[in-house]
Amino acid sequence: MNENSSFSTPRGRLGSRRLSALAVALLLVGSAAILGAAKPAAEYGLDEVLPVDESLRVGVFDNGLRYFIRTNAVPENRVELRLVVDVGSILEDESQLGLAHFLEHMAFNGSRNFRKTELVDYLESIGMRFGPDLNAYTSFDQTVYMLQLPTEDEKILDKAFLILEDWAHGMSLEKDEIDKERGVVLEEWRGRRGGNARIQDEQQPILFNGSLYAERLPIGKPEVLESFPAQELRGFYEDRYPPELMAVIAVGDFEPDAIEARIRRHFEKLRNPADPRPRVAEPVPDHAETLISIAADPEVTSTSVSVAFKRDPDPDGKVADYRRDLVAGLFYGMLNSRLGERAQENDPPFLGASVGGGRFVRTKDVNMLGAGVADGGLERGLEGLLLETERARKHGFTQSELERQKTGLLRFYDQAFNERDKTESRSYANEYVRVFLDGEPTPGIEFERELVQAVLPGIGVDEVNQLAAQFLGESNRVILVAGPEGDQPLTSEKALLATFERARAAEVDAYVDQVSDEPLLGADLAPVEIVSRSSRPDIGVTEWELANGVRVVLKPTDFKNDEVAFTSYSPGGHSLVSDQDWVAASTASSVVDVSGIGELSLVELSKALTGKVVQVSPYISELSEGFGGGGSPEDLETMFQLIYLYATAPRDDPDAFASFRARTEGMVANRDNRPETVFRDRMAYVLSQHHPRRRPFTTELLEELDHERSLEIYRDRFADLGDASFYFVGSFTLEGMEPLVRTYLGNLPAGNRREAFRDVGLEVPKGIVRETVYGGIEEKSQVSIIFNGDFEWTRANRYWLGSMGEALSHRLRVSLREELGGTYGVDASATPGLFPNPKFNIHINFGCAPGRVDEMVDRVFAEIRDLRRHLVDDDLVEQIKEAQRRQRETSLKRNGFWLSTLRFYDYHGEDPAELLELDQWVKKLNAKKIRAAARTYLDPKNFVQGVLMPEKYAPKEASVSLARPTQISVTKAGAG
């Protein structure tokens, strides 16, 4: 459960309960229909309404409630359900600030058919997880409830729609449950406070210019949340949840007639109130003058400037509207490419910059441009951003830029089309949420691809250039500056406006599109032999060994039509360099990444890869080096060429390194302003017993950046890949892969060097260590408790440890959140590691009020004592088992799961067929196994406990170190 008060700028889809293309179609055909294109997309005129995807069944009841049904078998035996309510925080009265979001929380705390926590208990009993499978969110204009459930059991489906109906009009809203939930919601509010939230408090009234949006943040106000009477929440529910403002969405592996019958049975009977409160669209007032906000805060870590041009919503639903969005997308893509080039300069004007446009709030669209800048570089960064928009306005774009954007856009639609029968149900469900709320057309990918192919050739560079001339306006313009608080002001309104005038008057040269004609790979490579072949039919895996020693593990799948994923490793990593070279080694792959390969700079490489769906990244981790990435099956040769080039031809580019250094220093300069960052860094440092390789990244640490040494280390790490293993999973054939593997992986450099990683001496502290970090203005704390130690590496021990961690996580959530109301969420994870030495670690993390830290920590250790002493309920054991089974059902149909699993088992020298044996372990799991694991791994005499407290709580003797201005103090340390 969460609230979402941010606005984003995707493709613009707005409307104040206006008729969308879908609504118009429904009025024409009746209350329920499956609608589709009546003719080919190329025959549609610009003024014609876009059709509705023929795979989508839509309907509307007499009470106004709409429903959307689509069958989709990815993942198998699952359904995604949504109850969408066109009601958010913007509809709250002054006495109700935060109640739209609070009501969403209460949906999980009792209803007509599920008392108190029975709903969550039931869903967890069938293997669904609170969070990933059961969740909700509230924003300014809507509330959305989400469920993922199995479909093979009719009783489960019956219960699912009973849950949706209860959310729609059957929440209990009992006073004692409301009072218990106050603490949870207040902790969610507390956890969001900090420098960025205070900046938002200051800037939202400027951005919204007197609109209620500035006063209706979904999270609400604490003084209302902690004291509103229960009847106020009930009144909001009765007034604001009429069926005419609702939609039910069902996408999944089911029989659609049966699902429609369930929706009809549960929702057609709902009635609107006799005297409903109107759903009024809240305006955002226009303004001729430029509004400016300059906000500084001591806990903000970076300086940014944004310029917003608010505008009335674009119409939507017709072919002409779709075409307009395509033109805008081409414009944004070309301008963002230019800004990306500027960021790669030796002395870049900004750390990063982007432009975009689309949805702001229900009644306004927006064009946005923004940049992150280094300390003291605000006007320079803004001017660099504006000069690029001026360059586009005065000189336009080039034909070659436009053709690249078109090529990339066509490839995007091709890939979506290729994956049309492999698209996840969740993606469709979220799309239909936008269809209902924002009037977004949904013609289907078949129609969209055909339409884009027909329309795109007619969009010329002159038309896009016209949009460039209109992009920057002066009315409804808002300039927002945010940054760290310092001795000097960030800037002034006068300086900002002068920067605009200077950029507008500047003489800028036309952009020169420099495209290299160098081939990606200059020389032909002779394929080498595969010296051994083996296969594992039980898991569908084939293994080859090449003449140069490289091992290749391949698993063809049909999970996706247009996806191949890969990873690789070679033992060694930066463990083999000295501590003095650690910074140069740990940044080496990043240095190469920004420098390009062979004769191509990063910018030239990006242009050369236009229209190709491929990504390859080198890495050097502590224990290994290798590559990761993937691509479309039709671009596999390019993917293999990139692997070969990153291994053999890293580019020496001093300008790229200078740019990398400048941008890294800019991002690191103020990171210690954020107390949570300092706390995280300090805990990592303490857990390593102050090892030099766990120093936090600071400006001082970056003095150890060394271009030449990074390249030297990189070349050494990839100089001999004869001990490398590559793993490929996805849509390919062995026959198609063989020549690529033999040619490109077979020619990777190899010798007789057989390496192993080195133990660099990272040892966790023994006994009990308690560390307190003092920092931050807000009245909030963070707690981290870590158990770790030696681990006997077996399949059984890994399973018992993980299952115990799931039990602990459940117990802590119920105890700390549901019973105490002391935290918004608690995270508990238990993981083992074999290298460099077998270890386990259990992390427990949560936030709470400073005054409740001791109470919450005491409760954590009380739960741990109980887990060690007593057997957990059999119901909890069954929940854990069912969740593991359900998660494995979907995981086995995902390329990413197989890729990581094959690498894991191979890396650890184990048989990957073990991954199919989960059911055997699930059968063996019981309360005694969980208790035994708790006794083994949750040792009350061996843990590290860290607490972040507000700075005002710091004792006078606390020392200042590691960070500015946060204070660090060890309140107690030593063996217990």
Side-chain angles (χ1 to χ4, degrees):
M1 292 180 287
N2 61 81
E3 58 86 18
N4 180 4
S5 62
S6 63
F7 64 88
S8 59
T9 57
R11 202 170 153 207
R13 299 296 186 197
L14 286 178
S16 305
R17 304 302 298 164
R18 57 190 172 81
L19 290 179
S20 66
L22 175 62
V24 171
L26 281 174
L27 290 175
L28 292 175
V29 303
S31 65
I34 300 175
L35 307 171
K39 56 187 176 183
E43 296 179 15
Y44 273 70
L46 291 177
D47 289 332
E48 291 191 73
V49 173
L50 292 162
V52 177
D53 187 350
E54 62 184 11
S55 300
L56 175 64
R57 180 179 299 193
V58 293
V60 58
F61 297 133
D62 290 342
N63 58 19
L65 185 142
R66 284 190 263 177
Y67 60 86
F68 303 76
I69 301 171
R70 181 185 184 122
T71 58
N72 188 62
V74 182
E76 292 180 10
N77 300 321
R78 292 290 187 277
V79 59
E80 288 284 347
L81 297 177
R82 302 286 185 272
L83 175 68
V84 189
V85 189
D86 188 18
V87 171
S89 59
I90 197 63
L91 297 182
E92 295 166 347
D93 297 332
E94 195 66 30
S95 61
Q96 299 173 332
L97 301 184
L99 294 202
H101 173 236
F102 200 105
L103 182 62
E104 169 226 307
H105 273 244
M106 293 304 300
F108 302 90
N109 289 328
S111 63
R112 183 176 294 120
N113 293 287
F114 299 90
R115 284 187 50 78
K116 299 184 183 296
T117 63
E118 285 180 4
L119 187 152
V120 175
D121 292 342
Y122 166 72
L123 291 171
E124 289 186 333
S125 74
I126 60 172
M128 300 298 101
R129 296 160 298 165
F130 192 58
D133 306 316
L134 167 66
N135 216 324
Y137 71 85
T138 305
S139 65
F140 284 124
D141 287 297
Q142 66 252 8
T143 305
V144 181
Y145 299 90
M146 302 174 285
L147 278 178
Q148 186 194 85
L149 293 155
T151 58
E152 66 267 30
D153 189 329
E154 293 293 318
K155 293 180 180 178
I156 290 176
L157 283 175
D158 289 339
K159 284 254 187 161
F161 284 93
L162 192 62
I163 291 169
L164 293 184
E165 183 190 343
D166 275 9
W167 285 342
H169 75 141
M171 294 190 209
S172 301
L173 304 180
E174 297 174 2
K175 183 179 183 304
D176 61 335
E177 291 297 314
I178 291 173
D179 290 340
K180 283 170 60 178
E181 197 66 19
R182 292 182 198 271
V184 175
V185 179
L186 283 166
E187 286 307 317
E188 184 177 357
W189 171 86
R190 188 190 313 278
R192 295 172 184 269
R193 298 306 299 169
N196 290 330
R198 292 189 293 271
I199 293 286
Q200 185 184 57
D201 292 344
E202 188 171 339
Q203 293 192 333
Q204 292 235 122
I206 308 298
L207 186 62
F208 287 116
N209 189 35
S211 170
L212 269 183
Y213 280 105
E215 303 296 327
R216 295 293 187 269
L217 291 181
I219 194 62
K221 294 187 176 180
E223 56 269 27
V224 174
L225 298 173
E226 60 192 7
S227 64
F228 69 86
Q231 187 52 44
E232 190 78 53
L233 186 64
R234 298 184 190 119
F236 183 88
Y237 186 41
E238 293 167 3
D239 291 343
R240 295 301 191 180
Y241 268 51
E244 66 181 358
L245 295 183
M246 293 182 182
V248 175
I249 296 168
V251 183
D253 192 5
F254 50 62
E255 203 285 312
D257 289 342
I259 294 297
E260 184 173 16
R262 286 184 171 93
I263 294 174
R264 187 173 297 279
R265 183 163 65 248
H266 286 280
F267 293 95
E268 191 173 24
K269 64 188 177 183
L270 302 189
R271 294 291 176 261
N272 291 300
D275 187 21
R277 295 189 66 176
R279 186 6 171 146
V280 179
E282 171 65 22
V284 177
D286 293 329
H287 49 94
E289 73 280 17
T290 295
L291 304 179
I292 300 175
S293 173
I294 303 168
D297 190 276
E299 292 179 13
V300 170
T301 61
S302 60
T303 303
S304 64
V305 56
S306 301
V307 185
F309 299 90
K310 294 173 288 186
R311 52 187 171 83
D312 291 334
D314 288 324
D316 216 345
K318 294 184 177 181
V319 172
D321 303 322
Y322 198 99
R323 187 183 187 280
R324 178 204 63 230
D325 287 346
L326 290 177
V327 175
L330 294 169
F331 166 74
Y332 296 136
M334 287 186 286
L335 188 50
N336 277 318
S337 292
R338 289 187 180 184
L339 293 172
E341 288 188 33
R342 293 297 310 273
Q344 300 297 321
E345 293 176 356
N346 180 302
D347 183 21
F350 37 68
L351 306 180
S354 65
V355 299
R359 182 173 187 174
F360 180 38
V361 290
R362 184 67 61 84
T363 54
K364 272 286 189 263
D365 279 7
V366 68
N367 294 339
M368 291 285 295
L369 60 159
V373 300
D375 282 357
L378 206 148
E379 284 85 10
R380 179 173 178 250
L382 176 60
E383 186 171 4
L385 180 64
L386 295 175
L387 284 176
E388 287 311 309
T389 61
E390 283 298 311
R391 196 184 316 278
R393 187 178 70 85
K394 292 177 178 177
H395 300 290
F397 296 99
T398 66
Q399 187 66 37
S400 57
E401 289 178 283
L402 180 60
E403 291 307 318
R404 277 200 305 275
Q405 285 298 318
K406 285 184 175 183
T407 298
L409 189 61
L410 285 169
R411 188 59 191 281
F412 169 82
Y413 279 92
D414 284 345
Q415 190 173 36
F417 176 81
N418 292 339
E419 295 289 8
R420 64 193 181 280
D421 64 332
K422 304 293 185 181
T423 301
E424 297 265 346
S425 294
R426 182 167 297 182
S427 176
Y428 284 124
N430 293 338
E431 177 183 348
Y432 302 147
V433 170
R434 300 192 301 272
V435 171
F436 170 64
L437 292 170
D438 304 328
E440 177 176 316
T442 180
I445 186 57
E446 294 91 341
F447 182 91
E448 289 192 60
R449 177 173 175 257
E450 185 182 340
L451 182 62
V452 170
Q453 289 173 337
V455 166
L456 209 56
I459 299 175
V461 69
D462 290 341
E463 184 176 359
V464 182
N465 289 342
Q466 290 176 10
L467 186 61
Q470 302 165 5
F471 179 70
L472 298 179
E474 294 189 1
S475 63
N476 280 332
R477 181 171 70 182
V478 182
I479 306 172
L480 304 174
V481 172
E485 191 175 86
D487 296 334
Q488 300 296 323
L490 292 171
T491 186
S492 67
E493 292 190 12
K494 181 179 179 180
L496 291 172
L497 293 175
T499 303
F500 272 83
E501 293 300 321
R502 195 163 57 249
R504 181 57 69 102
E507 293 293 330
V508 290
D509 296 330
Y511 173 81
V512 178
D513 189 16
Q514 296 180 339
V515 181
S516 174
D517 57 3
E518 291 287 336
L520 194 59
L521 190 63
D524 292 333
L525 301 174
V528 305
E529 292 300 315
I530 297 176
V531 297
S532 71
R533 302 170 186 259
S534 61
S535 64
R536 292 290 305 271
D538 53 338
I539 54 174
V541 167
T542 295
E543 181 178 327
W544 298 332
E545 183 179 345
L546 303 177
N548 61 350
V550 171
R551 293 175 61 250
V552 184
V553 179
L554 307 106
K555 181 177 174 60
T557 70
D558 59 1
F559 310 146
K560 290 285 188 180
N561 298 323
D562 205 10
E563 178 183 272
V564 176
F566 86 95
T567 187
S568 76
Y569 79 90
S570 175
H574 54 67
S575 71
L576 299 184
V577 306
S578 66
D579 289 348
Q580 290 73 25
D581 284 334
W582 171 69
V583 172
S586 61
T587 56
S589 59
S590 297
V591 170
V592 170
D593 238 349
V594 301
S595 299
I597 48 178
E599 299 300 318
L600 299 176
S601 69
L602 182 62
V603 171
E604 292 168 334
L605 178 61
S606 176
K607 292 177 180 180
L609 296 176
T610 296
K612 296 186 182 296
V613 180
V614 62
Q615 188 264 327
V616 173
S617 294
Y619 75 87
I620 302 176
S621 67
E622 192 150 85
L623 303 181
S624 65
E625 62 274 343
F627 308 94
S632 168
E634 68 182 78
D635 296 318
L636 285 184
E637 182 157 22
T638 300
M639 184 181 80
F640 276 95
Q641 289 175 341
L642 290 173
I643 295 171
Y644 176 80
L645 287 168
Y646 273 116
T648 61
R651 191 165 181 270
D652 185 347
D653 189 337
D655 287 341
F657 177 77
S659 176
F660 168 76
R661 180 172 194 134
R663 286 180 284 128
T664 304
E665 287 177 343
M667 289 185 284
V668 166
N670 299 295
R671 71 188 296 272
D672 289 341
N673 287 359
R674 187 170 183 267
E676 292 87 352
T677 299
V678 175
F679 178 60
R680 185 174 61 249
D681 287 346
R682 181 64 182 181
M683 292 306 295
Y685 205 41
V686 168
L687 284 167
S688 72
Q689 300 194 80
H690 310 126
H691 197 284
R693 295 180 184 236
R694 291 296 182 269
R695 291 172 292 164
F697 266 82
T698 61
T699 302
E700 292 75 19
L701 191 71
L702 294 185
E703 293 177 3
E704 298 178 32
L705 286 173
D706 187 324
H707 183 210
E708 291 184 4
R709 185 63 180 133
S710 285
L711 278 177
E712 184 181 352
I713 292 170
Y714 182 93
R715 287 171 176 145
D716 174 72
R717 289 291 79 231
F718 292 95
D720 186 346
L721 293 173
D723 56 357
S725 297
F726 283 80
Y727 308 85
F728 296 89
V729 178
S731 180
F732 58 80
T733 64
L734 297 179
E735 295 76 15
M737 289 288 273
E738 182 169 330
L740 301 175
V741 167
R742 291 175 58 195
T743 301
Y744 297 104
L745 301 189
N747 278 284
L748 291 175
N752 297 319
R753 191 167 75 177
R754 287 293 182 266
E755 294 178 320
F757 55 78
R758 179 175 66 92
D759 187 348
V760 298
L762 284 162
E763 290 292 336
V764 297
K766 301 293 185 183
I768 298 174
V769 176
R770 291 189 174 95
E771 186 92 358
T772 302
V773 176
Y774 295 97
I777 299 169
E778 296 290 344
E779 190 74 5
K780 66 175 185 177
S781 291
Q782 189 75 28
V783 177
S784 184
I785 301 169
I786 303 101
F787 294 85
N788 46 45
D790 296 334
F791 184 75
E792 184 182 352
W793 185 267
T794 67
R795 178 68 180 92
N797 286 343
R798 297 201 303 270
Y799 180 69
W800 308 138
L801 173 66
S803 298
M804 185 276 296
E806 293 177 50
L808 176 63
S809 184
H810 175 90
R811 293 277 296 264
L812 292 179
R813 190 202 81 214
V814 171
S815 184
L816 272 61
R817 175 181 164 129
E818 309 300 340
E819 294 177 4
L820 292 182
T823 186
Y824 174 59
V826 56
D827 174 59
S829 62
T831 56
L834 178 57
F835 303 119
N837 298 301
K839 300 285 184 182
F840 75 90
N841 65 74
I842 300 169
H843 282 254
I844 301 168
N845 299 289
F846 60 89
C848 64
R852 299 192 70 179
V853 166
D854 290 343
E855 173 195 7
M856 300 287 280
V857 170
D858 286 347
R859 179 62 74 93
V860 169
F861 281 98
E863 290 294 336
I864 289 173
R865 285 194 300 272
D866 191 69
L867 204 60
R868 286 168 52 87
R869 293 173 180 171
H870 304 113
L871 299 176
V872 299
D873 294 338
D874 288 339
D875 287 347
L876 177 55
V877 177
E878 290 306 312
Q879 282 183 22
I880 293 169
K881 288 181 171 185
E882 192 63 17
Q884 291 172 352
R885 292 190 192 102
R886 294 295 185 182
Q887 187 172 3
R888 178 56 57 90
E889 282 177 3
T890 55
S891 294
L892 286 172
K893 296 297 181 70
R894 299 184 191 277
N895 288 330
F897 169 79
W898 278 98
L899 187 68
S900 61
T901 301
L902 289 173
R903 184 189 188 280
F904 174 88
Y905 278 100
D906 199 36
Y907 186 70
H908 293 89
E910 298 181 16
D911 184 354
E914 286 185 1
L915 69 90
L916 301 177
E917 298 173 358
L918 177 67
D919 285 344
Q920 298 179 24
W921 293 104
V922 168
K923 291 177 182 178
K924 297 176 183 177
L925 183 64
N926 55 42
K928 290 182 178 180
K929 296 292 187 183
I930 291 174
R931 182 176 64 182
R935 289 174 172 175
T936 301
Y937 304 116
L938 294 171
D939 183 355
K941 296 182 179 180
N942 191 63
F943 64 88
V944 175
Q945 175 182 312
V947 179
L948 172 64
M949 294 288 284
E951 193 164 355
K952 67 181 181 181
Y953 287 81
K956 293 181 180 179
E957 65 272 15
S959 61
V960 178
S961 64
L962 254 190
R964 177 193 58 81
T966 306
Q967 292 179 311
I968 310 292
S969 171
V970 179
T971 56
K972 180 179 179 181

